[in-house]
Amino acid sequence: AQSVTQLGSHVSVSEGALVLLRCNYSSSVPPYLFWYVQYPNQGLQLLLKYTSAATLVKGINGFEAEFKKSETSFHLTKPSAHMSDAAEYFCAVSASGGSYIPTFGRGTSLIVHP
Amino acid sequence: DTGVSQNPRHKITKRGQNVTFRCDPISEHNRLYWYRQTLGQGPEFLTYFQNEAQLEKSRLLSDRFSAERPKGSFSTLEIQRTEQGDSAMYLCASSLGGQGHQPQHFGDGTRLSIL
């Protein structure tokens, strides 16, 4: 069984500030972990993925995430927020082996203030 | 790569009617997934195809729901006798097959509203 918990349904930051979106996972086998972004009335777009290689994963648009097995976490960060980063962000986990169907978290809405 | 295409983008119908949605995946992708997303939630898995074979179905997929993928290309999702609770965004995604986890590419979804 696998699950994802995203802490905070909304995160508000000022433009230029650090972005930190939290994700904790549960998986009985080594996980694959993902972050997706969703803009209004659009589908999800992959930001980055962890697949047991480097624990620090760099993605698109300046985002990165660090896999910490001891903390079962995969938090998403960006050093400096842009207005265009305002969107819904979803963390997802899937188990290595099997059908690779991901389980998504409930999402975190990122609000960026000018 | 023209992306995953879903039609229609919006569907409004009366309770009790049948609706059908279509998904055209990225042409070289042999895996296709359907998800349902309600407001304030992440996507919930409904069903998954590898080529034309439907390999997995969620418990969310009641007997009013049916999905097909003839010839392993486009897919349709039909909901019969729609209910208020079916109102949601229905997302389709596709990915390459093979070993390991290939990233899913999502369409923009079909938003269903039941009156």
Side-chain angles (χ1 to χ4, degrees), chain A residues 23-109:
Chain A
C23 172
N24 288 87
Y25 71 91
S26 173
S27 177
S28 56
V29 297
Y32 292 120
L33 293 159
F34 309 84
W35 276 99
Y36 286 86
V37 62
Q38 186 178 34
Y39 297 99
N41 297 313
Q42 293 186 21
L44 281 70
Q45 179 183 3
L46 181 69
L47 278 176
L48 49 82
K49 63 177 181 178
Y50 167 78
T51 56
S52 75
T55 56
L56 182 63
V57 181
K58 294 188 182 299
I60 62 171
N61 300 339
F63 285 94
E64 64 181 35
E66 186 172 9
F67 173 69
K68 292 187 176 180
K69 184 178 178 180
S70 61
E71 298 177 8
T72 61
S73 69
F74 190 58
H75 302 330
L76 181 71
T77 61
K78 182 174 180 178
S80 177
H82 295 162
M83 296 296 291
S84 60
D85 294 327
E88 194 81 16
Y89 290 80
F90 294 95
C91 182
V93 61
S94 69
S96 54
S99 61
Y100 306 105
I101 295 169
T103 299
F104 288 85
R106 296 182 64 174
T108 297
S109 179

Side-chain angles (χ1 to χ4, degrees), chain A residues 36 43-44 104, chain B residues 4 6 35 43 91-94 104-108:
Chain A
Y36 286 86
L44 281 70
F104 288 85
Chain B
V4 177
Q6 291 190 246
Y35 294 89
L91 294 167
C92 175
S94 69
Q104 298 185 355
H105 297 253
F106 283 81
D108 286 340

Side-chain angles (χ1 to χ4, degrees), chain A residues 9-21:
Chain A
S9 59
H10 296 82
V11 169
S12 182
V13 299
S14 298
E15 192 173 20
L18 171 72
V19 175
L20 171 61
L21 304 182

Side-chain angles (χ1 to χ4, degrees), chain B residues 22-54:
Chain B
R22 177 177 170 125
C23 172
D24 287 272
I26 294 171
S27 58
E28 62 266 30
H29 287 181
N30 61 351
R31 291 180 179 166
L32 188 147
Y33 309 77
W34 284 99
Y35 294 89
R36 182 175 70 185
Q37 185 180 23
T38 53
L39 196 63
Q41 302 291 326
E44 297 173 294
F45 168 73
L46 292 178
T47 190
Y48 151 63
F49 291 84
Q50 179 142 324
N51 299 312
E52 66 275 10
Q54 188 173 17

